């Protein structure tokens, strides 16, 4: 799936793709992440922006769906993601998802 990034208000992040190649969007601005410090001996938190921060949100929801419905196919899990996602007005019909 192609994942776009949105901010805390659900607005498209300025660095994120938004054309008809986008399947779904997830938080990707100001997302807390763990980082290593002291040459990898310690851990801390930092804030990152990017679709690389948005994609794990989608993967996590897909994993939760699959954990509750292990017999579902990848296509069925994808459909569940796409059909249950909120469609922000700013995207209008300019996204790939025809189910929402």
């Amino acid at each position: 799936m192609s994942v776009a990034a949105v901010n805390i208000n659900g607005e498209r992040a300025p660095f994120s793709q938004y054309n008809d190649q986008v399947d779904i969007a997830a938080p990707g601005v100001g997302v807390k992440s763990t980082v290593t410090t002291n040459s990898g001996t310690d851990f801390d938190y930092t804030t990152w922006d990017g679709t690389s921060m948005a994609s794990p949100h989608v993967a996590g929801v897909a994993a939760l769906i699959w954990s509750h419905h292990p017999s579902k196919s990848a296509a069925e899990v994808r459909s569940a993601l796409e059909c249950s996602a909120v469609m922000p007005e700013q995207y209008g019909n300019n996204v790939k998802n025809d189910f929402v």
Side-chain angles (χ1 to χ4, degrees):
M1 295 185 80
S2 175
V3 180
V6 294
N7 66 21
I8 195 168
N9 298 315
E11 300 164 338
R12 180 182 62 85
F15 55 80
S16 186
Q17 187 64 279
Y18 63 93
N19 63 19
D20 65 354
Q21 297 301 306
V22 172
D23 295 303
I24 198 166
V29 177
V31 178
K32 292 280 190 185
S33 182
T34 54
V35 293
T36 58
T37 58
N38 294 332
S39 301
T41 60
D42 294 316
F43 298 90
D44 202 351
Y45 293 96
T46 191
T47 302
W48 296 94
D49 298 338
T51 54
S52 60
M53 300 307 292
S55 294
H57 285 87
V58 176
V61 173
L64 285 171
I65 293 169
W66 236 323
S67 73
H68 289 274
H69 305 280
S71 64
K72 297 298 182 185
S73 69
E76 289 172 314
V77 172
R78 179 185 180 126
S79 179
L81 287 167
E82 290 178 335
C83 291
S84 62
V86 174
M87 181 70 72
E89 289 181 24
Q90 70 188 34
Y91 289 96
N93 292 323
N94 194 22
V95 293
K96 195 186 243 185
N97 184 352
D98 294 328
F99 301 108
V100 178

